[in-house]
Each structure stands twice: as structure tokens, then as C-alpha cells.
Amino acid sequence: MEHFFSSMTILPRETRLELLAECTVETCPIDSSYYFYRVSLAANATFIALFAVSLLGFLVTYAVTRRATAFTFAVSAGVILEIIGYAGRIMSWKNQWEENGFLMQIVCLTIAPAFIAGGIYLCLRRIVYAFGPENSRIAPETYTRFFIPCDLLSLLLQAAGGGIASSASHQHKSTKVGDHIMVAGLAFQVLTLLIFMILCGDFAMRTRRRYKSLGEAAFDQNPHFVTLRHSMKFKGFLAALALATICIFWRSVYRVAELAEGWSGSLIKRQWLFVGFEGVMVIVACLALNLFNPAFAFSEGVTGLGGLGSKKKMKKQREKANEGSSSNSDVDGGLKSSV
């Protein structure tokens, strides 16, 4: 057997892959498979079950509340891709030399967190309105207008890279070009998340400083937001969002390091790293957002100001308030003159 595999190294790539396609766990060394290790059925089945529960949670919450539509769509799309990806890994458990399962998991699990990150980005502008736009260095809508296009660009790069790599693999060609594009998309996602965390930290510090000097006057005095800010569910939502952001960021850093070495690097050969830094990080992020879904934990924010066009809504509210005050002053003037 050793002589057989040593002789295979001098064969053309296409012929070598065709021979490996006939392998099984009983007939070939496990490190000759796409994974270099025996895929864990228990770990991948657990992740499928957990992501299925998470998906059900997002869908049921939306069905009951009918709120946070864009957020629900983004995170649900990410969770569905996670389920498909781990289904691919279970397919590979049956035959680790079969290409389709491997490509399914490497593409779906690579791009899925970009959708979850998109859902996270959508929450920031609403949080800014809940505390008051005056506490933010930039306009609330700017967060969405900057981070969503960045997330889409990252997603497109990862999806394009995955498609190119998959096509090359099917044609028994090198996957380096597609792999490099995927890594570029992941690296851009890491940069976007880093900027997001920096701006979140800046907003938190500015808000705290203004609170110390102005007290409650530093915050928006809308009664709904006043009640919201003092609720435990909102505080839990902020903690869950922070945890989810850190988890997705850490996972993305790991995948950049992993895929930068190619599909046969040292990191990709260690299953425990994948389970810990890919699977665990992403499911923790999803479950945190399930427990403190903005549809109920931040209901005042997702149904009021904070959506697209909030600036126009605020302008109209001020105009109505000014009209009301001017009409009241006219009435008062008329009463005084009549007296």
C-alpha cells in the first residue's frame, strides 16, 4: 500500500484524483482524503441539530412578532447555509474522498457568517437612535450605508472565490486562484468587523462621557426609549450583540489564517481547531441572538426610529412640533388681545 501511494505522486493530478476517488476508510490512509483526518459524525450532527434549533427560533420569533424583517432574513440565510455546510461534512463522513461533500461544506461554511454579520450591522443604527444620535460621531444611517455594502462585497468575493475553486476542483485543476479570492473576501470581512467594533466602542465611550456630564439629558427622551434603556431585555440584547460580534470576528480571523495556507495547510488538518473556532464560535453567536432577538428584546427600536429614512421622520416630527407650538402661540396671542 505504501508503495502504491508513493508511486501515485509521479502520476498526473487528474489520474491521481481519479484513483483516490475509489478510496474508502478501509482501503486508503485517512490523510490521503480531502480532510486529512476522520470527520467526526457526532460533532457535525450536533452542529446541524443546534443550527436547526436556532433557525426555528428565528423563524418562530418573526412569525409571532412580525418585526426585524431584514435582521431575520440575514441571520436565517446564514443559519441555513451553516446547516447545508454541516450536511456536506456528514456526506464526507460517509466517503471522505468524495468531492461534492467537501466542496459543499467549504463554500457554505465560509460564506454563512457574512450573512450573520450583516444582521449584526443592521442593529447598530437602531441602538444609536435609542440612546440619541447626538452621542454618535457619525449619522446613524451612515453605519448601514457603509457596513452593508462592505458586507456584500465580502460576501461576493467569498462566493466568487468558492465558485472558482469548486469549478477548478471539478476539472482537476489547481484551486489556488479561487482560494486566494476567498481569503481576500474573508480578510475584508475581518477588516469590516474590526472597524465596526472600533466605532461601537467609540459610540459607547462618547455616550458614557455625555452621561457623566449631562445625566439623563444626554439620551433621547422619547418615553419608549427611556423605558427600553432601563429594561433588562435591552441590556441583554446589547451583551448578546457584543458576544456575537466577537465570536464572528474571532472565527473570521481563524478562517483567514486557515485558508491562507490552502486546502492542505497545517491548520486545516486539525479538526479540533475547526470545531472550536468555526462551529462553536458561530453557534454561540446565533444562540445569543436567539435568546435576545431584537424583535422582542429591542421591540421599541425595531418598530420606531432607526430604520431607513429615520432622518426624514425626525425632520417631519420637528416640523409638526414647530407648527403645533406656533399655532398655540397664535391662540394665546388671540386670547390675550381679546382680554
Side-chain angles (χ1 to χ4, degrees):
M1 182 65 70
E2 290 181 4
H3 174 72
F4 172 71
F5 278 99
S6 62
S7 63
M8 283 182 62
T9 59
I10 62 174
L11 294 174
R13 175 185 172 85
E14 183 175 351
T15 304
R16 188 166 64 252
L17 292 176
E18 288 175 352
L19 289 173
L20 288 174
E22 303 299 324
C23 283
T24 64
V25 175
E26 291 77 20
T27 61
C28 298
I30 202 67
D31 60 4
S32 66
S33 72
Y34 283 105
Y35 293 88
F36 302 96
Y37 54 76
R38 186 70 175 111
V39 174
S40 171
L41 178 62
N44 292 294
T46 299
F47 282 129
I48 280 190
L50 290 174
F51 280 113
V53 170
S54 179
L55 177 62
L56 183 63
F58 286 124
L59 296 179
V60 169
T61 300
Y62 179 74
V64 172
T65 64
R66 295 292 178 178
R67 291 193 289 261
T69 302
F71 171 84
T72 302
F73 172 80
V75 294
S76 296
V79 173
I80 289 171
L81 285 171
E82 291 286 340
I83 293 172
I84 295 173
Y86 283 103
R89 289 181 70 86
I90 290 180
M91 286 174 58
S92 293
W93 174 79
K94 296 179 180 178
N95 183 358
Q96 298 198 184
W97 290 265
E98 205 276 324
E99 187 180 49
N100 291 333
F102 174 77
L103 294 177
M104 184 189 302
Q105 64 90 30
I106 202 164
V107 173
C108 291
L109 296 182
T110 298
I111 67 175
F115 286 93
I116 300 169
I120 292 172
Y121 298 148
L122 289 170
C123 295
L124 181 55
R125 73 172 187 272
R126 296 184 180 277
I127 293 172
V128 171
Y129 274 108
F131 283 98
E134 300 80 9
N135 296 295
S136 176
R137 194 179 298 273
I138 59 179
E141 287 84 359
T142 304
Y143 292 109
T144 304
R145 292 169 183 167
F146 175 77
F147 286 110
I148 296 303
C150 286
D151 193 56
L152 289 174
L153 177 58
S154 168
L155 179 61
L156 288 173
L157 286 172
Q158 293 176 53
I164 292 171
S166 298
S167 177
S169 182
H170 279 305
Q171 298 174 32
H172 305 299
K173 297 179 180 178
S174 174
T175 60
K176 285 185 178 180
V177 173
D179 189 43
H180 291 332
I181 296 174
M182 288 176 70
V183 171
L186 281 166
F188 189 70
Q189 181 176 316
V190 168
L191 176 62
T192 303
L193 282 165
L194 180 61
I195 296 172
F196 178 79
M197 291 191 294
I198 290 172
L199 289 177
C200 286
D202 176 70
F203 172 71
M205 289 187 291
R206 285 172 62 86
T207 302
R208 184 174 179 81
R209 283 198 298 266
R210 293 190 79 239
Y211 176 72
K212 285 184 176 181
S213 60
L214 301 174
E216 286 293 328
F219 301 148
D220 189 294
Q221 295 306 304
N222 183 315
H224 294 295
F225 286 152
V226 172
T227 302
L228 175 68
R229 289 194 300 268
H230 289 88
S231 66
M232 289 303 297
K233 63 180 183 179
F234 178 65
K235 295 175 182 177
F237 164 69
L238 295 179
L241 195 69
L243 175 61
T245 303
I246 293 170
C247 286
I248 297 299
F249 177 76
W250 186 257
R251 169 266 172 198
S252 299
V253 171
Y254 160 70
R255 290 310 297 268
V256 168
E258 178 198 55
L259 291 177
E261 298 179 339
W263 291 3
S264 59
S266 61
L267 292 178
I268 206 170
K269 295 178 181 179
R270 290 169 170 79
Q271 183 168 208
W272 66 272
L273 284 176
F274 178 87
V275 170
F277 292 157
E278 169 68 38
V280 172
M281 290 294 108
V282 178
I283 193 58
V284 167
C286 291
L287 293 179
L289 295 174
N290 278 126
L291 290 174
F292 294 96
N293 192 311
F296 63 82
F298 191 24
S299 56
E300 292 85 347
V302 297
T303 55
L305 292 176
L308 295 175
S310 293
K311 187 180 290 185
K312 293 181 179 179
K313 294 177 186 177
M314 292 183 70
K315 185 178 180 180
K316 289 181 179 179
Q317 288 179 3
R318 291 194 191 98
E319 290 175 351
K320 288 182 180 179
N322 291 333
E323 290 175 1
S325 61
S326 62
S327 62
N328 289 337
S329 62
D330 291 340
V331 172
D332 291 341
L335 288 173
K336 288 178 181 177
S337 61
S338 63
V339 174

